[in-house]
Amino acid sequence: MMTNLQNNDAPAQAAGKFAIFKIRDFRYYWIGTICSNVGEHIENVIRNWLIWELTHSVFWLMAMVFMHWIPFALLSLPAGSISERVNRQRIIVWTEFGQFVAAAGMFAATYYGVMNQYWMGGFLILHSVSGALSNPCRQLFLHDMVGRDYLLSGVALTSSLRFATQSVGKPTGGLILLTLGARYGYLVNALAYFPMILALLTVIRVAQTDAPRVRRPLAEFKEGVRHVASDRSMLATICVAIAPSVFVGNGFDPFLVIYADTVFGMGATGYTYFITAVGVGAVVAVVSLSALGNAPWKSKMLFGGIFGFCLSMALFALSRSLIPSMILLFLFGFFQVVYNTAATTMLLEDVPNEMRGRVMGIFNFGRLGLRVVNGPFFALLNKIALLGAA
């Protein structure tokens, strides 16, 4: 595959840790990704607390999780096929703009005092449609940009930034919530998309080579499914990596709101502490993985990361002391990045160029689309727990 390395100031086999930052386009893309992800985390914090403040309802907390992920369930598979056919850089620009529109709408609804669960749900769906269409394009765009030698570092430094930027975005969201109010958090969220949009429109230029398309989209999708089903190693990687998304996914964050408010009695302050601990753990993982370069033992990272992720979450559920709970949340954030980075890198490395978009679409459907069950699943568990306590 052609990459854009030739157009940057780094040779293809540059040595040394963090050599990926010698790639000019990656530097701009990485900074833009940080900005947009920080904005998303600010929105996430404010949304979770605001819906709890408006309704004090576990149902509506989990309904927001459902509305957030239903577009990923419906669009991840076709988006994977689309990503092989289109100008990926252009699609990323448009989807960033779509997320800006959603954030600006939330700001307007909050500013004029009309925000409720219905407005929030509508804008959240718009935001998620943009994200679902963007994800496979971003994964292939990164591969085009940095090539195989830099892929592990590239995935750790971009795809995992969604987790790592929690350490900045979520505490910032909590601080804005405590001091200025929700409306200004949404305003910052909207403005955070502009650096990426401007960088993609003005300075980033990535060469893109695609396989010729001779089949219809449905036939190509079926071919992608057959390819995954015929490769046991690839199928196992996808199944192992998506398991936490099915049973945990984004249902964990809203329950941190409930834990902070009802179990620890610390309200928004406790929630800020918790999400900061998760984010710091994620940052440590990203820095560690980025320094490894092209590590050969990614399968061990995948299984070890999932084991640590599940164990730290289970122990947190049993903890009633603040400091041990924050340590466990640190480990939760660390291992979440480890297993996600390992799985994404393994697939991007091993899948043929002509199949990469479709396979990543299937992976994103499992990793992100199946999170649509998190809301109903956690709401049901909560109902069962309340009935058992009655």
Side-chain angles (χ1 to χ4, degrees), residues 11-195:
Q13 299 297 329
K17 295 180 179 180
F18 304 108
I20 191 171
F21 285 112
K22 295 180 181 179
I23 302 174
R24 187 205 60 180
D25 285 344
F26 179 80
R27 292 196 301 268
Y28 286 112
Y29 183 75
W30 186 70
I31 292 169
T33 301
I34 288 176
C35 294
S36 57
N37 282 349
V38 166
E40 285 191 43
H41 286 307
I42 291 172
E43 184 275 331
N44 185 264
V45 168
I46 290 173
R47 171 176 24 102
N48 285 335
W49 185 259
L50 188 58
I51 196 66
W52 178 251
E53 192 174 53
L54 287 170
T55 67
H56 278 85
S57 165
V58 174
F59 169 81
W60 279 110
L61 270 172
M62 294 301 105
M64 291 301 133
V65 175
F66 178 83
M67 283 184 269
H68 188 180
W69 296 110
I70 188 64
F72 288 87
L74 298 175
L75 298 176
S76 289
L77 294 176
S81 182
I82 290 170
S83 69
E84 297 176 351
R85 296 170 168 269
V86 297
N87 183 306
R88 292 187 272 273
Q89 186 164 336
R90 190 174 302 159
I91 290 295
I92 296 171
V93 170
W94 279 109
T95 53
E96 286 282 304
F97 183 74
Q99 290 176 320
F100 159 76
V101 171
M106 289 185 182
F107 164 69
T110 309
Y111 184 84
Y112 288 107
V114 298
M115 176 64 86
N116 56 31
Q117 58 267 44
Y118 306 108
W119 279 109
M120 190 180 294
F123 288 125
L124 188 58
I125 289 174
L126 172 60
H127 175 277
S128 299
V129 167
S130 298
L133 293 173
S134 172
N135 258 348
C137 285
R138 288 176 181 275
Q139 290 161 333
L140 272 64
F141 186 69
L142 177 64
H143 189 280
D144 293 340
M145 188 188 306
V146 304
R148 184 184 183 91
D149 291 338
Y150 296 95
L151 196 55
L152 179 62
S153 293
V155 171
L157 285 165
T158 53
S159 298
S160 295
L161 276 178
R162 188 169 300 278
F163 306 108
T165 48
Q166 293 178 93
S167 63
V168 177
K170 290 191 172 183
T172 301
L175 182 63
I176 293 173
L177 186 65
L178 291 170
T179 57
L180 300 176
R183 69 182 72 174
Y184 293 103
Y186 285 130
L187 177 60
V188 173
N189 175 211
L191 296 176
Y193 293 106
F194 277 96

Side-chain angles (χ1 to χ4, degrees), residues 104-289:
M106 289 185 182
F107 164 69
T110 309
Y111 184 84
Y112 288 107
V114 298
M115 176 64 86
N116 56 31
Q117 58 267 44
Y118 306 108
W119 279 109
M120 190 180 294
F123 288 125
L124 188 58
I125 289 174
L126 172 60
H127 175 277
S128 299
V129 167
S130 298
L133 293 173
S134 172
N135 258 348
C137 285
R138 288 176 181 275
Q139 290 161 333
L140 272 64
F141 186 69
L142 177 64
H143 189 280
D144 293 340
M145 188 188 306
V146 304
R148 184 184 183 91
D149 291 338
Y150 296 95
L151 196 55
L152 179 62
S153 293
V155 171
L157 285 165
T158 53
S159 298
S160 295
L161 276 178
R162 188 169 300 278
F163 306 108
T165 48
Q166 293 178 93
S167 63
V168 177
K170 290 191 172 183
T172 301
L175 182 63
I176 293 173
L177 186 65
L178 291 170
T179 57
L180 300 176
R183 69 182 72 174
Y184 293 103
Y186 285 130
L187 177 60
V188 173
N189 175 211
L191 296 176
Y193 293 106
F194 277 96
M196 176 65 90
I197 294 173
L198 291 175
L200 288 167
L201 289 175
T202 58
V203 295
I204 296 176
R205 295 292 182 268
V206 174
Q208 176 175 313
T209 301
D210 299 311
R213 290 284 159 257
V214 296
R215 299 183 182 214
R216 293 182 178 180
L218 181 59
E220 290 182 344
F221 167 69
K222 291 179 179 178
E223 185 181 25
V225 172
R226 286 194 296 269
H227 180 78
V228 171
S230 66
D231 189 324
R232 292 186 178 182
S233 176
M234 185 184 302
L235 182 61
T237 298
I238 292 175
C239 290
V240 169
I242 69 175
S245 297
V246 176
F247 296 106
V248 182
N250 263 45
F252 188 75
D253 266 17
F255 268 89
L256 287 181
V257 174
I258 300 172
Y259 258 66
D261 197 30
T262 62
V263 176
F264 287 87
M266 298 177 66
T269 301
Y271 179 47
T272 302
Y273 287 163
F274 286 164
I275 56 183
T276 301
V278 175
V280 171
V283 166
V284 172
V286 166
V287 173
S288 302
L289 291 172

